[in-house]
Amino acid sequence: MSRSMYSLILSDRVVEAIDREAYRQQCNRSRMIERILAEYVGVETKEAQVRDMMEEIARLLSVHDRIQVLPNRETRSLVYQAPVRFKYNPTLRYRLEWQEVNGLHRAVLKIVSRTTSRPLADALEAFFLNMNRWEAEYAPFVQGKNRLFRNEGKGTIQFVKTLYTGSLAYDEMTRLLSRYLTMLNEAIEGYFSPAGEAKAREVVRRWGERERKEADQWK
């Protein structure tokens, strides 16, 4: 949907109210006005499509007992967390972001753990490095490589992956992303279970076999 610049004459009180709502929803004034007008005249914008996609992914994830979808006012991201079966049951915080760069769409996943536990940080690092190998073996059609950032000074370890770059339809993206996020959670649970690495690898293998039938959609 192309965008152009228009001049509007609005009362100060209306603008103040729009600015308050824009601040509450964490967007700028122009985007807030467009959202209000689009909803009023029944036009579906890209932003509305992304919002619907994120809401549907959140619904699909929330059926899992150990995944907690967190409140989030941003329409282009989804935030949730899940515990790790490691001693004191720490949590991993997930953030799925939908970005638009030079006309292309990107789905970026960021996972953060804040921990001062060296054994936990080592285990998480080992898991994410293993995911690089397993995905290369079982799902080479998935675009993004896993990047790992470890900062022991701040007690953080972060995993970042660009899951998709392109212009795939939103309904297809909803299916692909929700299945990947579900698989990743199952793999982490398996890795930290008594079955360990073998269980996690099997989760990725089974997921890769299923996704291979639709591999062209990841490209």
Side-chain angles (χ1 to χ4, degrees), residues 82-139:
V84 177
R85 297 183 188 275
F86 188 90
K87 295 182 180 179
Y88 52 91
N89 284 330
T91 60
L92 291 180
R93 188 180 182 93
Y94 300 73
R95 182 182 184 89
L96 177 64
E97 298 179 355
W98 187 257
Q99 304 171 356
E100 187 171 351
V101 181
N102 297 326
L104 291 177
H105 300 283
R106 294 197 307 176
V108 180
L109 175 64
K110 299 178 181 178
I111 307 174
V112 177
S113 172
R114 299 185 181 278
T115 178
T116 57
S117 168
R118 174 67 68 84
L120 174 59
D122 289 345
L124 288 171
E125 182 173 0
F127 169 78
F128 291 131
L129 292 176
N130 276 322
M131 281 296 295
N132 273 333
R133 294 191 297 105
W134 297 334
E135 288 183 5
E137 182 176 359
Y138 300 120

Side-chain angles (χ1 to χ4, degrees), residues 140-142 176 208 210-219:
F141 47 83
V142 176
L176 293 177
R210 291 193 299 268
E211 292 297 311
R212 193 173 291 113
K213 299 175 183 178
E214 302 179 41
D216 59 321
Q217 296 188 25
W218 287 96
K219 298 176 181 178

Side-chain angles (χ1 to χ4, degrees), residues 19-192:
D19 286 347
R20 285 195 300 270
E21 185 63 18
Y23 178 80
R24 190 182 71 82
Q25 298 194 28
Q26 300 180 345
C27 66
N28 58 39
R29 179 188 296 167
S30 295
R31 193 171 293 277
M32 190 71 249
I33 291 175
E34 180 181 57
R35 185 181 304 174
I36 293 170
L37 293 176
E39 291 178 357
Y40 184 82
V41 299
V43 173
E44 186 176 40
T45 63
K46 287 183 179 179
E47 186 177 10
Q49 290 176 317
V50 172
R51 182 175 65 248
D52 291 344
M53 179 180 69
M54 291 297 184
E55 289 177 352
E56 178 61 11
I57 294 175
R59 186 189 68 80
L60 294 171
L61 290 175
S62 62
V63 302
H64 300 277
D65 294 338
R66 293 171 60 82
I67 294 179
Q68 178 187 13
V69 178
L70 301 175
N72 178 36
R73 293 179 296 184
E74 298 181 27
T75 59
R76 289 178 169 264
S77 67
L78 166 66
V79 181
Y80 64 97
Q81 64 184 18
V84 177
R85 297 183 188 275
F86 188 90
K87 295 182 180 179
Y88 52 91
N89 284 330
T91 60
L92 291 180
R93 188 180 182 93
Y94 300 73
R95 182 182 184 89
L96 177 64
E97 298 179 355
W98 187 257
Q99 304 171 356
E100 187 171 351
V101 181
N102 297 326
L104 291 177
H105 300 283
R106 294 197 307 176
V108 180
L109 175 64
K110 299 178 181 178
I111 307 174
V112 177
S113 172
R114 299 185 181 278
T115 178
T116 57
S117 168
R118 174 67 68 84
L120 174 59
D122 289 345
L124 288 171
E125 182 173 0
F127 169 78
F128 291 131
L129 292 176
N130 276 322
M131 281 296 295
N132 273 333
R133 294 191 297 105
W134 297 334
E135 288 183 5
E137 182 176 359
Y138 300 120
F141 47 83
V142 176
Q143 292 183 349
K145 297 298 182 182
N146 303 325
R147 292 178 290 150
L148 191 68
F149 305 93
R150 184 166 174 175
N151 189 329
E152 294 193 8
K154 294 184 177 180
T156 62
I157 183 167
Q158 184 180 45
F159 163 88
V160 179
K161 182 182 185 69
T162 301
L163 285 171
Y164 181 81
T165 301
S167 57
L168 200 61
Y170 291 111
D171 57 344
E172 294 171 327
M173 284 305 304
T174 300
R175 291 194 296 272
L176 293 177
L177 294 177
S178 60
R179 291 199 299 252
Y180 181 88
L181 297 177
T182 299
M183 176 277 295
L184 183 60
N185 182 69
E186 291 177 357
I188 292 175
E189 286 192 344
Y191 192 83
F192 286 90

